[in-house]
Amino acid sequence: MNSQVLRGRWGYASVTDKISDLVLRRPTHWLWALGFGIAGTLTLVLLGGMVWLFAVGVGIWGVNIPVAWGFAIVNFVWWIGIGHAGTFISAFLLLLRQKWRNSINRFAEAMTLFAAGIAGLWPVLHLGRPWFFYWLVPYPDVMDVWPQWRSPLVWDFFAISTYLTVSLLFWYVGLIPDLATLRDRAHGAWRRMVYGFFALGWRGEARHWARFESAYLLLAGLAAPLVISVHSIVSLDFAIGNTPGYHSTIFPPYFVAGALFCGFAMVLVIAIPMRRFLGLEDFITIRHLDNAAKILLATGLLVAYGYAMEVFTAFYSGDKYEIAIALDRMKGFYAPVYWTLLFLNVVVPQVLWWRRARRSVATLFVIGILVNIGMWLERFMIVESSLAHDFLPSAWRPFIPTGWDWAMLAGSVGLFALLFLAFVRVLPALSIFEMRELVEEEKEEAR
Amino acid sequence: MSPTPITRRDFLKLAGAATALATGACTAPPDEIVPYVRPRAIADGIAQFYATAMTMQGRALGVLVQSDMGRPTKVEGNPAHPSSLGATDVFAQASILELWDPARSRTLRHRGTPATREALVAEWRSALAGLEARGGEGLRILTGYVGSATLRAQLDGLARTYPAMQRHEWEPLHRDNSLEGARLAFGRRVDCAYRFDAADVVVAVDADPLGEGPGWVRHARDFASRRAPQSMSRLYAVESFPSITGDMADHRVALAPAALERWLAALDAALRGEASTPLPLVEAAAHDLLAHRGRSLVVAGEGLPPAAHALVHRINARLGAPGATVSYLPAVSDVACAESVAALSRDMRAGRVQALLILGGNPAYDAPADVEFGAALARVPLSVHVSLYEDETSAACAWHVPRAHYLEEWSDATAHEGTVSIVQPLVAPLHGGVSIHEAVAMLGDDAASPRDGVMRALHLEGAAWHTALRDGVVASTAPAPLALTVRDVAFDPADVADGWTVVFRPDAAVHGGEFAPNAWLQELPRPESKLVWDNAAYVSATSAARLGAKSGDLVEVARGARRVVAPLWILPGHADDAVSLPLGYGRERAGPVGSHIGFDAYPLRDGGFAWSAPCSVRKAGGAHALVTTQLHTRMEGREPAKHMTLAEALSAHSAAHAERPVESLYPDWPYDSYRWAMAIDLNACIGCNACTIACQSENNIPTVGKEEAGRGRSMHWIRVDRYDDGPTPLHQPVPCMQCEDAPCEAVCPVGATVHDSEGINVQIYNRCVGTRFCSNNCPYKVRRFNFFHYSAGLGERPVEGSNPQVTTRMRGVMEKCNYCLQRITRARLQADKEGRRIAEGEVVTACQAACPTRAISFGDLSDPASAVAQVKRSPRGYTLLEELNTRPRTTYLARVSNPNPQAANE
Amino acid sequence: MAQAFSARALLFTKLAALAIAGLLVAGAVTAYEHFDGPYRVGDAPPQPIAFSHKHHVGDDGIDCRFCHASVETSSFAGIPATQVCMTCHSQLFTDAPMLEPLRQSAARDEPLHWTRVHRLPDFAYFDHSIHVRKGVACIECHGRVDRMPLMRREAPLTMQWCLDCHRDPTPHLRDPSRVFDMTPSAAVRVATGVPHEALASRRRLTDCSTCHR
C-alpha cells in the first residue's frame, strides 16, 4: 500500500509556508473567534466557581459522608487520562519510528500539556483547605513534619508533577527549531523578539541538529515510561483504598488502557475539526485517522476486558462486599450510569471494525465524543458508586452533584478549548521541521 | 471562631484572605492578657463542678455542671441524685446550649416595646391595690407543676395576702389521667415510683417508662441492671407507637389505643383466671406476672383513661407490687391541668380576671385547642409572662419579663421519688433575666434574697445547707412510701370503632415545644425514625398503603373542623389504623432556629382528648422533604448489630471469642503505658441519644442545619444506628473504633491522623488539609468533615460557652471521636504530677458519663482487672466488621432477648 | 536578514532572567523571616505599665510564684491581679506617675490590659504545671527574665523549637525544686545532678496528641 503521507505534493518550502502561515499570516476566522468567545465564557465560569469555592468551602459541591470524593476527583482522573495520548504518540511512536506520527504529535502534545495541567488543578480544588496544598511537598518547615509516605496521594503528587515537567520539556524542545523558523519569518520586532527569546538562538547548524536529535530522543525515552507510570499511580489512589470497588489489583493496567482510550478519542475530536478549518487534510490524512481509530479500537477492547474482569473477580473472590457493589452498580441507584458507560465504551467502538467507519470523518468524530463521555462516566461510576455503598448499611447514601459540580466541569472543558484555540494561533500546530524530514524521506521512498 | 495556622502565618493570610472575608474565620483574638482586679481562690484553667438540678414537669434531674473560669460549659449527671445516679438525658445535656442561646429574651417588654422593671412593678402594684379590697379577687397565677418548695411557700404567702386569689396549673404534657386514676383507686392523687431493678416481669401498656417522663433516666438504669443474662428480667410491651420501651421489650404487640384498653381489660380477666381471650400475648403475660408475684409490675401509660390507671393499680396490688416494684408518693400536683386552664380561660373571657401572672410555660401555644387560651388572654387588662424566650404567650401578654435560666437561679426541686435538691446559679444571669422566685418577690414586695428564700423554704442553714449545696441533694428527704388500700373501680374499655385514631406524643427532641429553639435537639436524630429538624405523621406500612401514600407525602389529619396537614412517615412497628403526631413543632415564635418548622399538632388536641382521639386521615396531595440521617435501616445479612436469645447467651462461652492471632503486614504497635479501649453493650443501649448530645456538648461539635443534614453532613461523633430487620429493633452507637491497623492512618498524605502511644487514633485538625481520603477508607464511616464553616453557624454556642479544652474546628478539616482525649490528658497530667498511674475509672468519656444504662464501658486494656477488659471478655463480645482486620479498640456486646417460651408461638 | 536580538539586548535579557530568579529567592527568605507571629524574637512590645522583671526578680528577688501563682497547679501560670501588685504598691512608690494605671485599676475596679508576649495558637495546648513539675526551668523558655527591663520573647515558640526539647529533654532538665532558679540549667545540673524524675516515654513526648486535640 501507499505508505506515503504527503503524496509528493509538498516540498520543503511549501510545507514551511503552509504551516508557518497558519500562525503568521492567516486572518482570524469568525468561527475561531466564536469558539474562543464561548471557551472564554466557560473559563470565567470556572474561575467564578473557584473564587466561591475558596470563599465558602467544598460544601458547594455534592460531596458528603460517605461519598467524600466528588466531581473533583472524577474530573482529575478523566483529564489525566486525556493527557496521555500526546506523550504516547510523540514518545512511543517516535521510538517505534512511526513516521506518520510526525503530522499529529505537535498538537497531540499540546493537548496532553493542557489536559494534564487542568487535571493537576483538580486535586488542589478538591482539598478542604486548598491553601495548604504544599504540605504534600516534602520541605523542611518550622513544624518539623513531613508528608506521610504511605499515602498514594503523595506518590500522586510526584507522578503528576514529573509527568507535567517532562511533557513540557519534550514539547518545548520539539518546538525550538520551529520557533526559530517563526522568528525568521515573523514581521514586527515584537513577534521576532518573543519567538526569538524562546528559540534560544537556534541557528540550525549541524551541531545544533545533532545535539537536538539526541536530546529529543533521550526525552522521548524518558517520557515513554512516564506515560505508563502516571496513570498507574493515579489508579493506586483507589486500589490502595479498602473500599469495595476500589480495592482491586487490576486497576493500574485498566486505568492506563482507559487513559489511552479516551486520549486517542480526544485526538480524533481535536484533529478532525482542526484539519478541516486549517485546511490540513493533506498533512493529517485519512490514514492518520484510520491508525488512530485502530488504536482506539484496540484500547477499547482492553478496557472492555477490564470491565469484565472487575465483575468476574468480584464474584470469583466470593467477597460479599465486592459482590454487593458489583450488583449495586448493575441494579442500584447508579445503574443507568453503569449501563450507559458500558454501551459507550464497549459497544460503540466495535463500529471501528469496519474500514468504512474508520475512514468516515463524521463517524470518527461522533465516536470520539461518545467515548470521552463514556470514559468520564466510568470514572464517575468507580469514584462515587463504590463509596455510596460500602460496608455498613447504615452509612449508605448516594452522591448527588450540585449545579457547581456541573458548572466547574464545563468550565474546565472551556479552559481546555481556550488554551488549544490560543495554541493554534501562536504556535505551529504541526511540526514544521519534522514535516520537512517527511518530505525528504518520502522523496527517498519515491526514488 | 476557629483557630487556624493562618493567623500565625502572615504570608498565608493572603492565600486565605477570601476565606477570612467570607466566613469570618481566622480573625486573631486580641493579643491581650486581662487579669482580675481582685485575686480569686480558684486557679484559672482548672474546671470546677457544682451541683444543681434541672426541673421538667415539676420533677427534677440532679446534675453537676462544669464551670471553666466561671463559665458553665458542660452538664453531667449527679451520682448522688436518685433520679440521675450520674446519668443525664438529652434535655439536660442540651440545656447548656439553651443557657448560651443568643436568641434568648434579653429585654423586659410592655406590649412589644422595651420597658423598665420599675414601670412593671408600679403598674402591677397599683392594679393589686385595686383588687385588695375584694381580697385579691381577679388576681390569677398560672404555673406549671410546682416542684419547688420555695415557690410553693411564696405562692402560699400571696394566697394569705389575697385570699380570693386563684392559682391555676397547666402542663402540656400533664399527668391528669394517671393522677385521676390514682384518686379513683386510692381516694387520693399519688405519683408512682417504679423499681425496675426489683421486677422480674414487667408489662408496659402504652407506657414508655424507659424513654420518657419523670424518672426515666433512673428507670432505664434500674431496668438495664436486670438485663444481664445471669439474672435477666422479662419485658412485655403493648403500645401503639414504637417507643424505646417497646424496642427493649422481649415481647411486643402493636395495638391502636382503643384496642390497648381491651388488651388491658383482657389481661385483668386473665389474671383473675376468667375466660381466655383471642388477643395476643395476654395469656403468656398473665401467667408470667402471676408466676412472679411480688417481683412483677404493670405500668400504664398516660394515654390510658383514669379508669384504666385505677385498674392497673388494682392489678399491681393483686400482684403484690406495692412496696416491692412500685411505691406511691404524694402527687406533684393536686390540680387537674385540663380543667384548671379551661376554668382560667372561661374566667378570662368572662372578664373575671384583672391581673394574670404567668410563670413560665407557653399556654398560648400549647393549651388545649378548645380552650382558645390566646384569644381569652386578650381580655385580661394586666397580664405578665415570665419566660426564657419571647414566645407566643409573651406576644399575647401585656408584659414580658425575661426569665433566668435554671443555671442562673437559686431554687429547689423535687426528684421523681420525692428527694429534695437545691438549684444554685452557675453564673449571673447573662441577659439580666429574673428567676420565677424573683418575679414573685418583685411583684409581691418580698425583700428576701432568693438564696435566703430557698434556705427558709427548706429549713436549711449552716453546715446542713452547705452539705446539701455540695451534694446537690438534701439528705433523707425522700417521703416514706404511702401505704394505700386500693378500691375496686369498674373499667369498661372503649369499644374499638373502626376508622382512624390520632395519637399525640411528646417529641423525642423538642418535647412539648419548649426546646424548639435548641439546635442540638433539633438536629438529634429521633430514636425511632432518625428524622431531624421536623416532625411527621407516623403510621404503619399497612395504613400508609391504605392511604396510598408514601413517606414524605402530605396527609390531612382532621377532627371535625380542626385539621392539620403533615408529612407522612412510615414507621415499622407502628399500630395500624392509628396516626401518631409528635407535639412541639410549628412554633411561630421560637427564635431563628425553631420557628416555622414542622407542623403544630396542638390544634387537634383538646382537654377531653389529651392523648388520643378519633379522627379522619386523607391524602392532602403534595409532599414535604423530610430529612433522615440513616437512609438504610436493614442489615442486609451483614449483622453489624448482633442479637442472641437468652439460651444462646448463656450457652455461649468466651473461648469462641478468645483473641486469636491476626495476620497483618504492619508490625504491631508497641505500647509501654495505657491502652485505652471501649466496649458498648447493645443489650443495655436503649437508643436514647444521650451519648450523642453529650459528645456534642463536650467536643464543641457544631450543628449543620436541615439542608446540610439532608446532604449527609451531620457532625455527630457518636451516632446511634437503628436496624429494623433484626428479631427485635436494634440500636447501635457507633463512635470511632480506634483501630489498631487503622485504614485512615495509612492514606492521609500529611499525617494528620496518626496512632498515638496509647493506641488512640488521633486527628490533628491543624495539620489536616482535607483530602477526605481517611473518610473514604474508614469502613465504619465515623469521620465527620467540615464542608462549610459550621462552627460559626446559626444556633451555635458563643465561644465563651464552648469547651476550652477542645479545639473548635474550622471549615475544610476532618474530625472524629478521639475517646475524649482532653479528659484522658487531664487525668494523665494529674497522675503524672503525683507520680502515679491513672486509676481505673479516673477517665470517663462524655458518652459513657451520660449513658443512663451504663451501656458504655471505657478504660485501660493493659490492666486486665479494668472494667473494660472484663467486659470485653464476655461471650457476647464481638468486633464490628471483624473480617476487615482493622482490630478496633471499640468493640460490642450482642443484644440478648428473653422471650417467654410459652409465648413463643405467638 | 537582521537578528532578532542585538548583542546588548541579549545581555539585558540574560540579566533580566537572573534578576527575576534573585527576586524569587529574596521573597522566599522574607516570607520565612516572618514565620513566627507579629513580634519577632527579642522584641519587647509596649505595655500599659513599663513593668520590669529585672527590678522585681533580679533586684528584689521576688519568687516567680508570688505573681504567677498557679504555675504549679494549672496549665495557665496566672497573671497577678491588680490587688496583688497593690500588696506592695499601696506602700511603695505610691505616687510614682508610672504606676498611675495600676492605681486607676484598683480605684475604678477595672482590670489592666497587658500586651501578650508569649502566645501559642489555640490548637496547641501547653500546660505550665507539668513542665515545672518535671524540672523544666522558667528560663528554658522565658530566658533570663531577671535581666529584662521590659518583657520580651526569647524563644521562637515554633513547633520545631518545642520538638527539639521534647525529643531530647535531658539537657533542659534540672532538679524540680530549682526550676524557679535563674541560673542556667548546665550550672544547676552540675550542682544537683541530672534529675531522676521519671519522664513519659520519648514516644509519648512526641505524640501529636500530647499538644494537639
Side-chain angles (χ1 to χ4, degrees):
Chain A
M1 66 162 267
N2 171 12
S3 74
Q4 292 207 345
V5 176
L6 302 172
R7 302 193 208 73
R9 251 190 268 151
W10 298 82
Y12 298 139
S14 54
V15 166
T16 316
D17 293 340
K18 169 71 184 165
I19 302 175
S20 55
D21 287 359
L22 290 181
V23 180
L24 300 175
R25 301 257 190 291
R26 198 159 190 275
T28 309
H29 189 287
W30 69 271
L31 266 171
W32 182 92
L34 178 66
F36 198 81
I38 297 170
T41 322
L42 286 174
T43 311
L44 287 177
V45 171
L46 177 65
L47 290 176
M50 282 163 68
V51 170
W52 187 235
L53 179 77
F54 290 154
V56 302
V58 291
I60 67 171
W61 293 333
V63 279
N64 60 28
I65 304 290
V67 189
W69 283 4
F71 271 27
I73 300 299
V74 179
N75 301 346
F76 160 65
V77 181
W78 187 59
W79 278 116
I80 271 286
I82 292 171
H84 265 57
T87 317
F88 178 83
I89 291 168
S90 319
F92 268 93
L93 301 188
L94 178 75
L95 297 174
L96 301 173
R97 306 233 175 288
Q98 296 293 311
K99 278 303 161 196
W100 60 276
R101 99 187 226 298
N102 287 6
S103 43
I104 59 170
N105 66 333
R106 169 66 46 76
F107 76 81
E109 284 170 39
M111 176 190 90
T112 287
L113 222 47
F114 301 149
I118 290 168
L121 200 60
W122 286 108
V124 178
L125 298 184
H126 166 83
L127 295 180
R129 300 200 293 175
W131 52 94
F132 286 135
F133 73 93
Y134 63 89
W135 282 0
L136 272 73
V137 188
Y139 69 99
D141 63 3
V142 289
M143 297 176 291
D144 248 11
V145 286
W146 299 89
Q148 203 275 113
W149 295 95
R150 284 184 302 167
S151 170
L153 295 185
V154 179
W155 317 338
D156 224 18
F157 172 80
F158 288 102
I160 296 164
S161 46
T162 318
Y163 183 69
L164 260 175
T165 324
V166 174
S167 306
L168 180 63
L169 280 175
F170 192 50
W171 182 66
Y172 177 59
V173 170
L175 265 169
I176 292 173
D178 292 3
L179 286 168
T181 316
L182 293 177
R183 174 197 60 199
D184 302 339
R185 297 172 141 253
H187 297 289
W190 266 116
R191 284 182 147 196
R192 290 171 51 203
M193 291 270 276
V194 176
Y195 285 126
F197 180 83
F198 287 103
L200 301 180
W202 174 274
R203 289 187 305 283
E205 295 168 9
R207 200 157 44 105
H208 286 181
W209 278 111
R211 293 187 179 157
F212 171 84
E213 287 294 346
S214 46
Y216 200 49
L217 210 58
L218 281 175
L219 277 171
L222 201 58
L226 285 177
V227 177
I228 307 301
S229 78
V230 68
H231 223 55
S232 308
I233 288 174
V234 167
S235 78
L236 294 184
D237 293 351
F238 304 96
I240 294 284
N242 61 3
T243 316
Y246 280 13
H247 196 56
S248 156
T249 47
I250 200 177
F251 268 27
Y254 170 34
F255 267 50
V256 173
L260 292 175
F261 186 44
C262 69
F264 269 92
M266 189 55 103
V267 169
L268 284 175
V269 173
I270 288 173
I272 287 169
M274 192 173 80
R275 71 196 279 276
R276 165 91 178 62
F277 290 119
L278 301 185
L280 296 174
E281 285 85 352
D282 282 351
F283 302 89
I284 306 170
T285 62
I286 289 296
R287 172 156 167 254
H288 290 100
L289 304 183
D290 188 18
N291 289 351
K294 283 176 185 158
I295 299 183
L296 198 62
L297 180 56
T299 47
L301 291 171
L302 287 176
V303 171
Y305 172 80
Y307 296 150
M309 277 305 113
E310 243 188 339
V311 178
F312 172 77
T313 40
F315 286 91
Y316 184 70
S317 69
D319 178 312
K320 60 179 178 234
Y321 304 114
E322 288 290 342
I323 293 173
I325 187 66
L327 290 175
D328 184 63
R329 282 172 180 174
M330 297 176 197
K331 311 187 301 201
F333 184 82
Y334 291 116
V337 178
Y338 184 69
W339 295 114
T340 319
L341 79 89
L342 279 192
F343 175 76
L344 295 177
N345 296 347
V346 179
V347 180
V348 170
Q350 303 315 317
V351 177
L352 298 173
W353 287 106
W354 286 275
R355 195 159 185 281
R356 283 194 43 240
R358 289 204 303 274
R359 293 176 161 269
S360 142
V361 176
T363 321
L364 289 178
F365 186 70
V366 172
I367 289 179
I369 297 229
L370 291 182
V371 166
N372 273 307
I373 296 173
M375 285 311 290
W376 187 89
L377 289 175
E378 179 209 295
R379 273 60 182 263
F380 178 91
M381 190 266 300
I382 292 173
V383 176
E384 315 302 0
S385 74
S386 316
L387 290 172
H389 195 89
D390 70 345
F391 297 99
L392 286 184
S394 62
W396 291 349
R397 184 181 282 273
F399 163 88
I400 291 136
T402 64
W404 280 116
D405 281 307
W406 293 113
M408 291 179 79
L409 169 59
S412 68
V413 176
L415 177 56
F416 178 77
L418 188 78
L419 292 168
F420 202 87
L421 287 168
F423 158 75
V424 297
R425 293 293 301 169
V426 299
L427 290 171
L430 308 190
S431 169
I432 300 172
F433 79 91
E434 284 173 302
M435 296 311 288
R436 292 215 209 90
E437 287 175 12
L438 214 54
V439 172
E440 168 60 19
E441 278 151 17
E442 295 195 347
K443 282 223 184 72
E444 303 273 320
E445 286 178 27
R447 286 201 200 97
Chain B
M1 279 309 95
S2 72
T4 83
I6 295 174
T7 59
R8 247 169 81 237
R9 306 229 183 129
D10 296 343
F11 80 104
L12 279 185
K13 260 193 184 141
L14 301 173
T19 330
L21 291 174
T23 64
C26 6
T27 49
D31 261 342
E32 275 191 340
I33 302 186
V34 182
Y36 301 101
V37 174
R38 266 174 251 82
R40 285 161 40 108
I42 302 154
D44 292 336
I46 300 172
Q48 306 292 316
F49 288 83
Y50 299 92
T52 182
M54 178 184 184
T55 304
M56 289 171 72
Q57 280 96 44
R59 295 299 190 188
L61 180 73
V63 294
L64 299 179
V65 182
Q66 179 177 340
S67 166
D68 288 282
M69 292 179 76
R71 305 189 307 259
T73 52
K74 179 79 172 67
V75 172
E76 302 286 3
N78 180 356
H81 192 278
S83 301
S84 161
L85 299 186
T88 50
D89 59 14
V90 293
F91 305 114
Q93 288 296 339
S95 66
I96 205 77
L97 178 60
E98 188 179 57
L99 168 71
W100 290 103
D101 186 351
R104 260 177 61 193
S105 162
R106 308 160 174 260
T107 31
L108 189 152
R109 291 182 186 278
H110 179 234
R111 305 216 176 279
T113 55
T116 65
R117 199 177 283 192
E118 294 64 30
L120 165 62
V121 174
E123 181 171 346
W124 178 264
R125 296 260 171 86
S126 64
L128 257 58
L131 302 175
E132 207 124 21
R134 300 199 311 288
E137 187 186 346
L139 166 60
R140 307 294 180 97
I141 294 189
L142 174 60
T143 64
Y145 286 149
V146 178
S148 154
T150 313
L151 184 55
R152 241 179 271 117
Q154 285 183 298
L155 294 176
D156 295 347
L158 273 179
R160 276 192 297 278
T161 336
Y162 306 104
M165 169 192 99
Q166 283 185 47
R167 285 175 48 191
H168 302 271
E169 291 183 17
W170 168 249
E171 286 281 353
L173 306 174
H174 56 73
R175 302 204 285 280
D176 282 359
N177 284 359
S178 54
L179 293 174
E180 174 61 14
R183 200 188 55 75
L184 291 174
F186 305 121
R188 68 175 287 186
R189 296 161 68 90
V190 296
D191 277 327
C192 301
Y194 302 113
R195 296 288 311 283
F196 288 99
D197 52 342
D200 292 351
V201 176
V202 178
V203 175
V205 184
D206 200 27
D208 188 10
L210 304 184
E212 211 277 311
W216 81 260
V217 172
R218 172 61 180 273
H219 294 158
R221 162 70 54 82
D222 291 346
F223 174 75
S225 72
R226 291 300 312 279
R227 298 300 284 179
Q230 290 65 27
S231 67
M232 195 168 182
S233 65
R234 182 173 294 138
L235 171 61
Y236 299 82
V238 190
E239 58 186 7
S240 53
F241 182 90
S243 70
I244 280 177
T245 306
D247 286 354
M248 297 310 290
D250 302 295
H251 291 287
R252 178 180 181 275
V253 180
L255 295 173
L260 283 169
E261 295 181 28
R262 301 207 81 75
W263 193 93
L264 182 60
L267 178 71
D268 177 51
L271 284 169
R272 284 190 273 97
E274 288 174 10
S276 74
T277 156
L279 289 166
L281 219 58
V282 173
E283 301 289 336
H287 283 113
D288 230 353
L289 285 169
L290 290 169
H292 295 80
R293 271 209 178 74
R295 285 172 287 115
S296 56
L297 171 66
V298 179
V299 183
E302 198 55 47
L304 294 169
H309 282 270
L311 176 62
V312 167
H313 287 306
R314 203 177 62 209
I315 292 175
N316 279 334
R318 187 179 298 110
L319 292 171
T325 55
V326 61
S327 57
Y328 305 107
L329 62 148
V332 66
S333 160
D334 293 330
V335 180
C337 284
E339 295 160 24
S340 177
V341 73
L344 174 58
S345 178
R346 249 195 330 274
D347 293 354
M348 289 195 293
R349 231 177 279 103
R352 285 196 291 274
V353 180
Q354 271 64 45
L356 172 63
L357 176 59
I358 306 177
L359 299 172
N362 187 6
Y365 164 73
D366 57 30
D370 53 348
V371 163
E372 287 161 358
F373 191 89
L377 206 45
R379 306 286 304 281
V380 181
L382 174 56
S383 53
V384 180
H385 184 225
V386 185
S387 62
L388 274 183
Y389 293 87
E390 285 185 41
D391 56 25
E392 292 81 350
T393 310
S394 312
C397 285
W399 291 85
H400 161 72
V401 181
R403 179 184 178 177
H405 192 263
Y406 82 93
L407 294 174
E408 300 170 330
E409 72 178 8
W410 281 105
S411 183
D412 68 299
T414 319
H416 77 287
E417 44 71 275
T419 302
V420 175
S421 49
I422 295 173
V423 176
Q424 63 174 317
L426 267 284
V427 62
L430 295 169
H431 308 315
V434 299
S435 73
I436 279 187
H437 307 302
E438 288 168 300
V440 175
M442 182 170 82
L443 301 171
D445 189 16
D446 172 354
S449 87
R451 181 165 149 283
D452 298 345
V454 175
M455 294 174 78
R456 220 186 309 121
L458 300 183
H459 315 296
L460 281 173
E461 63 222 344
W465 164 257
H466 286 292
T467 319
L469 204 53
R470 190 192 64 233
D471 301 348
V473 293
V474 187
S476 61
T477 41
L482 302 166
L484 303 164
T485 48
V486 64
R487 342 178 199 157
D488 261 357
V489 179
F491 170 60
D492 42 25
D495 36 5
V496 183
D498 46 7
W500 288 89
T501 312
V502 58
V503 179
F504 304 102
R505 287 189 52 85
D507 185 82
V510 305
H511 208 230
E514 64 268 42
F515 294 109
N518 193 308
W520 287 355
L521 288 167
Q522 287 284 8
E523 198 157 300
L524 197 60
R526 309 301 184 263
E528 64 286 340
S529 61
K530 300 296 161 193
L531 286 181
V532 293
W533 290 100
D534 254 319
N535 59 344
Y538 294 106
V539 299
S540 70
T542 333
S543 308
R546 223 178 61 212
L547 283 169
K550 59 183 185 319
S551 288
D553 291 354
L554 291 175
V555 294
E556 182 191 77
V557 183
R559 291 191 54 216
R562 288 183 264 134
R563 48 200 61 225
V564 160
V565 173
L568 187 90
W569 189 263
I570 296 171
L571 195 58
H574 195 285
D576 295 342
D577 309 329
V579 52
S580 297
L581 304 183
L583 299 166
Y585 270 92
R587 295 273 314 262
E588 296 296 322
R589 297 165 164 274
V593 169
S595 301
H596 311 297
I597 50 177
F599 64 90
D600 182 2
Y602 280 110
L604 292 185
R605 190 185 187 222
D606 42 55
F609 296 96
W611 301 104
S612 69
C615 71
S616 71
V617 183
R618 63 173 190 79
K619 214 172 153 184
H624 174 74
L626 289 169
V627 165
T628 169
T629 56
Q630 188 183 344
L631 295 176
H632 203 89
T633 58
R634 295 189 312 280
M635 291 192 279
E636 304 297 343
R638 298 180 180 192
E639 280 201 68
K642 297 206 188 309
H643 170 277
M644 45 177 75
T645 63
L646 183 57
E648 292 165 339
L650 292 172
S651 61
H653 49 79
S654 325
H657 185 62
E659 280 229 355
R660 50 186 133 72
V662 219
E663 313 300 331
S664 172
L665 290 178
Y666 294 116
D668 281 0
W669 295 95
Y671 295 112
D672 52 9
S673 60
Y674 312 98
R675 290 170 55 220
W676 303 109
M678 182 179 280
I680 302 176
D681 186 350
L682 299 187
N683 196 33
C685 176
I686 59 175
C688 70
N689 280 328
C691 52
T692 304
I693 198 161
C695 174
Q696 184 153 30
S697 173
E698 170 73 11
N699 293 299
N700 301 336
I701 298 172
T703 52
V704 298
K706 181 182 175 182
E707 193 190 337
E708 287 293 290
R711 284 194 174 285
R713 296 172 178 179
S714 302
M715 297 300 282
H716 297 136
W717 285 4
I718 177 169
R719 64 174 197 265
V720 182
D721 288 347
R722 179 197 171 91
Y723 295 107
D724 294 324
D725 60 344
T728 166
L730 295 166
H731 305 283
Q732 181 173 42
V734 185
C736 173
M737 296 288 132
Q738 313 293 352
C739 310
E740 285 293 341
D741 294 335
C744 51
E745 289 170 9
V747 295
C748 176
V750 291
T753 180
V754 290
H755 214 73
D756 86 356
S757 60
E758 295 171 358
I760 299 176
N761 167 263
V762 290
Q763 179 71 23
I764 310 304
Y765 312 122
N766 44 302
R767 179 64 178 171
C768 179
V769 296
T771 67
R772 312 193 281 290
F773 203 162
C774 52
S775 172
N776 283 1
N777 227 34
C778 174
Y780 310 98
K781 290 291 176 281
V782 293
R783 295 182 151 262
R784 300 287 172 257
F785 188 72
N786 293 273
F787 290 92
F788 290 117
H789 193 62
Y790 297 128
S791 54
L794 176 68
E796 292 306 324
R797 272 185 293 186
V799 65
E800 306 82 47
S802 46
N803 183 348
Q805 293 305 315
V806 176
T807 309
T808 315
R809 282 76 61 187
M810 86 173 292
R811 64 120 157 156
V813 304
M814 192 63 72
E815 58 185 73
K816 68 164 192 67
C817 158
N818 56 17
Y819 278 172
C820 284
L821 192 54
Q822 63 281 8
R823 295 186 175 207
I824 295 173
T825 311
R826 191 193 302 155
R828 189 197 299 113
L829 291 183
Q830 197 50 40
D832 221 4
K833 282 189 264 181
E834 294 165 15
R836 56 173 177 85
R837 273 180 73 86
I838 299 177
E840 162 75 2
E842 200 172 344
V843 183
V844 178
T845 64
C847 50
Q848 176 191 16
C851 181
T853 59
R854 290 189 169 153
I856 300 174
S857 30
F858 176 82
D860 177 9
L861 215 50
S862 67
D863 166 14
S866 69
V868 69
Q870 288 170 9
V871 170
K872 277 173 181 286
R873 286 196 287 272
S874 156
R876 293 187 289 127
Y878 76 98
T879 300
L880 189 55
L881 299 176
E882 186 172 19
E883 61 271 41
L884 298 184
N885 209 3
T886 52
R887 299 159 68 197
R889 282 282 181 90
T890 306
T891 58
Y892 292 89
L893 268 62
R895 166 82 181 268
V896 180
S897 51
N898 177 16
N900 178 349
Q902 193 189 344
N905 51 350
E906 294 177 9
Chain C
M1 116 175 240
Q3 288 292 334
F5 290 89
S6 69
R8 287 180 70 243
L10 209 56
L11 179 65
F12 280 128
T13 337
K14 289 174 179 168
L15 289 176
L18 277 174
I20 291 167
L23 281 174
L24 287 176
V25 176
V29 171
T30 29
Y32 194 89
E33 273 291 295
H34 290 76
F35 246 25
D36 44 347
Y39 301 111
R40 302 265 202 73
V41 172
D43 293 358
Q47 299 289 1
I49 302 173
F51 177 85
S52 165
H53 277 83
K54 179 176 187 301
H55 172 71
H56 291 81
V57 182
D59 309 347
D60 300 348
I62 300 172
D63 188 290
C64 309
R65 287 164 287 185
F66 184 81
C67 300
H68 305 293
S70 57
V71 71
E72 287 175 304
T73 52
S74 167
S75 57
F76 181 50
I79 300 293
T82 306
Q83 293 304 340
V84 173
C85 309
M86 293 306 276
T87 45
C88 300
H89 289 291
S90 53
Q91 315 296 331
L92 305 171
F93 305 105
T94 45
D95 47 11
M98 179 198 204
L99 296 184
E100 188 51 28
L102 180 68
R103 290 190 290 272
Q104 287 298 334
S105 160
R108 298 221 190 94
D109 196 9
E110 284 167 2
L112 288 160
H113 288 248
W114 299 98
T115 310
R116 247 185 192 286
V117 178
H118 296 84
R119 177 157 174 277
L120 292 176
D122 301 5
F123 51 74
Y125 288 84
F126 176 83
D127 187 300
H128 274 94
S129 60
I130 190 68
H131 287 81
V132 168
R133 180 73 185 80
K134 294 291 181 179
V136 180
C138 306
I139 64 164
E140 290 294 337
C141 309
H142 296 289
R144 296 297 302 268
V145 290
D146 59 332
R147 295 178 184 167
M148 296 180 190
L150 203 53
M151 193 60 190
R152 61 174 188 272
R153 183 157 58 88
E154 286 288 277
L157 300 186
T158 57
M159 180 167 164
Q160 197 169 32
W161 174 82
C162 294
L163 278 171
D164 286 342
C165 186
H166 272 232
R167 283 178 179 143
D168 180 21
T170 332
H172 305 275
L173 296 180
R174 61 172 65 182
D175 181 335
S177 66
R178 299 193 56 185
V179 286
F180 304 104
D181 190 330
M182 283 294 146
T183 42
S185 290
V188 177
R189 259 204 318 286
V190 174
T192 62
V194 181
H196 302 294
E197 186 64 62
L199 277 182
S201 72
R202 193 58 37 84
R203 184 148 155 254
R204 176 74 251 169
L205 285 174
T206 51
D207 272 335
C208 304
S209 53
T210 300
C211 308
H212 301 300
R213 56 182 189 255

